[in-house]
Amino acid sequence: MPQYVSLRMQQQVQIIMDIARLVKNTAMFQSIEDTDLALLLERAHQRPYQKNREIFAMGDVAEAFYVVLKGWVKLYRLSREGGESVIHVLGPGESFAEAAVFNNSRTYPVHAQALEETVLLEIPRSFFVQKIEEDSQFALRILAAIASRQHYLVQQIEQVTTRTAPQRIGAFLLRFCEHKEGNARGFWTVNLPYDKSVIAHRLSIRPETFSRALAKLSPYGVKTNPSGEITITDMMALTDYCDISLFGKPC
Amino acid sequence: MPQYVSLRMQQQVQIIMDIARLVKNTAMFQSIEDTDLALLLERAHQRPYQKNREIFAMGDVAEAFYVVLKGWVKLYRLSREGGESVIHVLGPGESFAEAAVFNNSRTYPVHAQALEETVLLEIPRSFFVQKIEEDSQFALRILAAIASRQHYLVQQIEQVTTRTAPQRIGAFLLRFCEHKEGNARGFWTVNLPYDKSVIAHRLSIRPETFSRALAKLSPYGVKTNPSGEITITDMMALTDYCDISLFGKPC
DNA sequence: GGCGTAACTTGACCACAATCAAGTCGCGCC
DNA sequence: GGCGCGACTTGATTGTGGTCAAGTTACGCC
């Protein structure tokens, strides 16, 4: 039954094309050549994760790094008393743990967990190292990616140490607007991509405080619709209040 | 007067030898070959900075990165209201701003200032890129260095968000003990390398709070001698109090 | 519909650290 | 010595955000 086989093949091809498209959307592989992309897809594995599933634990040996194809991933650390500090939350097209595979200890410095039904591309360390050794341009691209990750962390530290809770929330909301290119009549709508409690932790705020702090932003044009989405009516005021430099993009 | 010339030459050689030794002490160049070292010293410039002198400002174009040969360097960011967040303080043998030269924006994401009379080795971006292109092992070493810098920043975020001021101070003191290999009779002595107010800022604490928080560590065996040095009599107790994992070295 | 759970909000209270303000110590300098 | 300056400490007070506890809302499910 050739029709059946051809259908299967067609599906396969479709899936691979989809992955290829997603991979090309990542900062790290956006200018990868097709021959290399083929090689990558051969060596890398697609892995599904259920909601709340652990991807790796802090201290695990780092044999691979990841690209998010679908869903959301939380990177976090735990203190002995169970205090959680969220280092990053990553969505489709973003990569993580690139640096861990190069660390001398070669262990992950954080825990990683899927926040939703998530699909990752798992890229083995060996492929990575080989690629760097034979292609210095690739090495430079990796360095750029890791450098901007570092930039992000530096910003994170600044935010947590010098801004108040409402300011951090405002800054977080504004980031989403940067991507969205703004609604015509001067106001933006943000649909929070994951639970508020996750956002709260990402900003080092307790959920209760998050709730109160969000309310404090109403004088600066931030309204929360009953439907759960947030609209920003006065972007200037909010930007000003949050003391955003606006020349440091998220990541 | 050949004696004079020979003396001058001898001095020159001595200075270069000194720099070479310091460079070989850095994580990044510890396994550099002598031919490359010679090339490096030819391309890199030694630069002295007076106390409190600015090395570069946030936003400046990053044409070079640096190795501290002598003195202390503070990396920090400023908020509009003048709030300062110290990202890092670096001493002899440590390098900084490696990542900045690879960033897409190619600008420094922080300010850098000399805390003391300081001497830096300034390594031009061009040398760096060239070296990476022709030596993939060097590229991997750079990646390792940047990766552990990233690890440091992650720890920094965790510290600031989950630990109290006394705990952070304790952790800071314990780091110095790791290097010092401990005094025989079970106690360690730490001489603070720079002003307490700088340490305070590095830990995101006001100087006043630092003073009080340090006093709160006395139940855990931390005594401040009138001479200004600090002794730790019960390392276990302090380690326990601070919730240190002790498997994440400073940098 | 009634129930149960999970996400979120609101309220009352508390604690850690920031702030403002004196006060002390150490040290170089005339 | 006396002075002045800068680093640090101590004191009194405030405020942001954490904690604990009780609602509220939304939504799935029998």
Side-chain angles (χ1 to χ4, degrees):
Chain A
M1 23 187 159
Q3 299 97 326
Y4 175 73
V5 171
S6 127
L7 185 61
R8 282 287 302 270
M9 272 189 65
Q10 221 178 317
Q11 286 178 339
Q12 285 290 104
V13 168
Q14 192 55 50
I15 288 170
I16 289 179
M17 294 286 282
D18 283 349
I19 297 177
R21 187 173 41 75
L22 287 165
V23 168
K24 282 205 163 185
N25 262 343
T26 64
M28 189 168 289
F29 296 112
Q30 63 187 354
S31 45
I32 195 171
E33 283 117 45
D34 283 348
T35 53
D36 289 330
L37 182 59
L39 188 61
L40 170 66
L41 293 181
E42 194 181 301
R43 300 275 303 273
H45 293 284
Q46 209 187 155
R47 297 214 185 282
Y49 291 86
Q50 296 166 344
K51 182 168 178 173
N52 296 329
R53 194 61 185 280
E54 174 184 282
I55 297 162
F56 53 73
M58 180 173 151
D60 281 0
V61 175
E63 288 298 352
F65 80 103
Y66 300 86
V67 174
V68 181
L69 298 180
K70 173 174 165 294
W72 292 92
V73 171
K74 178 176 77 172
L75 305 182
Y76 63 104
R77 285 171 72 106
L78 293 174
S79 67
R80 196 174 40 187
E81 290 84 14
E84 172 184 293
S85 62
V86 175
I87 304 297
H88 213 151
V89 175
L90 303 124
E94 295 184 288
S95 56
F96 62 97
E98 328 88 343
V101 302
F102 293 114
N103 215 343
N104 292 325
S105 66
R106 206 182 292 179
T107 57
Y108 298 111
V110 293
H111 296 274
Q113 187 187 29
L115 288 178
E116 311 282 345
E117 215 67 23
T118 295
V119 180
L120 302 180
L121 190 68
E122 185 184 273
I123 300 166
R125 189 191 131 84
S126 56
F127 172 81
F128 211 22
V129 172
Q130 182 190 322
K131 193 81 180 61
I132 285 170
E133 283 176 344
E134 68 194 22
D135 178 0
S136 62
Q137 287 310 305
F138 181 75
L140 288 172
R141 214 166 308 124
I142 299 296
L143 280 163
I146 295 184
S148 65
R149 177 67 36 91
Q150 198 162 311
H151 193 143
Y152 162 84
L153 291 171
V154 166
Q155 277 191 164
Q156 190 86 340
I157 291 175
E158 190 202 10
Q159 290 260 339
V160 171
T161 57
T162 66
R163 314 280 208 255
T164 66
Q167 283 179 319
R168 276 176 273 162
I169 295 174
F172 178 81
L173 294 175
L174 286 169
R175 282 210 188 150
F176 278 85
C177 300
E178 287 183 300
H179 298 297
K180 288 205 157 184
E181 258 313 319
N183 187 305
R185 292 181 307 299
F187 68 82
W188 282 255
T189 309
V190 178
N191 255 307
L192 301 178
Y194 37 83
D195 283 359
K196 281 184 180 174
S197 68
V198 176
I199 301 174
H201 274 115
R202 229 221 68 176
L203 302 173
S204 295
I205 300 171
R206 302 286 141 229
E208 298 96 319
T209 308
F210 182 88
S211 203
R212 283 183 257 261
L214 187 55
K216 281 187 192 156
L217 289 177
S218 66
Y220 307 99
V222 176
K223 314 284 173 195
T224 67
N225 298 7
S227 55
E229 61 182 17
I230 296 175
T231 58
I232 297 171
T233 54
D234 187 350
M235 194 148 180
M236 282 300 291
L238 187 59
T239 306
D240 190 61
Y241 171 72
C242 297
D243 186 12
I244 296 293
S245 43
L246 272 182
F247 91 101
K249 290 279 173 71
C251 186
Chain B
M1 23 185 162
Q3 298 97 325
Y4 176 75
V5 170
S6 134
L7 185 62
R8 281 287 300 270
M9 272 187 66
Q10 222 178 317
Q11 287 177 338
Q12 286 289 105
V13 168
Q14 192 56 49
I15 289 170
I16 289 179
M17 294 285 282
D18 283 349
I19 297 176
R21 188 172 42 74
L22 287 166
V23 168
K24 283 204 163 186
N25 263 342
T26 64
M28 188 167 287
F29 296 112
Q30 62 187 355
S31 45
I32 194 171
E33 283 119 45
D34 284 349
T35 52
D36 288 332
L37 183 60
L39 188 62
L40 170 65
L41 292 181
E42 194 183 300
R43 301 276 302 273
H45 292 286
Q46 206 187 157
R47 295 215 187 280
Y49 291 87
Q50 295 166 344
K51 181 169 178 171
N52 296 329
R53 195 61 186 279
E54 175 184 282
I55 296 161
F56 54 72
M58 180 173 153
D60 281 0
V61 175
E63 288 298 353
F65 80 102
Y66 299 87
V67 174
V68 181
L69 298 180
K70 175 174 165 293
W72 293 91
V73 170
K74 178 176 78 173
L75 305 182
Y76 63 103
R77 285 170 72 106
L78 293 175
S79 67
R80 196 176 38 186
E81 289 85 13
E84 173 183 292
S85 62
V86 175
I87 303 298
H88 213 152
V89 176
L90 304 122
E94 295 185 289
S95 56
F96 61 97
E98 328 87 343
V101 302
F102 292 113
N103 216 344
N104 291 326
S105 65
R106 206 181 293 181
T107 56
Y108 298 111
V110 293
H111 296 275
Q113 186 187 30
L115 289 177
E116 312 283 345
E117 214 67 22
T118 295
V119 180
L120 302 180
L121 190 68
E122 185 184 273
I123 300 166
R125 190 190 130 85
S126 57
F127 172 81
F128 212 20
V129 171
Q130 182 190 322
K131 192 81 179 60
I132 285 170
E133 283 176 344
E134 67 195 23
D135 177 1
S136 63
Q137 287 310 306
F138 181 76
L140 289 172
R141 214 166 308 127
I142 300 296
L143 280 163
I146 295 184
S148 65
R149 177 67 35 91
Q150 200 162 311
H151 193 144
Y152 162 84
L153 291 170
V154 167
Q155 277 192 163
Q156 191 86 339
I157 291 175
E158 189 203 11
Q159 289 262 337
V160 170
T161 57
T162 67
R163 313 281 207 256
T164 65
Q167 283 178 318
R168 275 176 273 162
I169 295 174
F172 178 81
L173 294 175
L174 286 169
R175 281 206 190 154
F176 277 86
C177 298
E178 286 184 300
H179 298 298
K180 287 206 159 186
E181 257 315 316
N183 188 304
R185 291 179 309 296
F187 68 82
W188 281 253
T189 309
V190 178
N191 255 308
L192 301 178
Y194 36 83
D195 283 359
K196 282 185 180 173
S197 68
V198 176
I199 301 174
H201 275 114
R202 230 221 67 177
L203 302 173
S204 295
I205 300 171
R206 301 287 141 230
E208 299 95 319
T209 307
F210 181 89
S211 204
R212 282 183 257 262
L214 187 55
K216 282 186 191 156
L217 289 177
S218 65
Y220 306 99
V222 177
K223 315 283 173 194
T224 68
N225 299 6
S227 56
E229 63 183 14
I230 295 175
T231 59
I232 298 172
T233 54
D234 187 352
M235 197 149 179
M236 282 300 292
L238 187 59
T239 307
D240 190 62
Y241 171 72
C242 298
D243 188 10
I244 296 294
S245 43
L246 272 182
F247 91 103
K249 289 282 174 67
C251 186

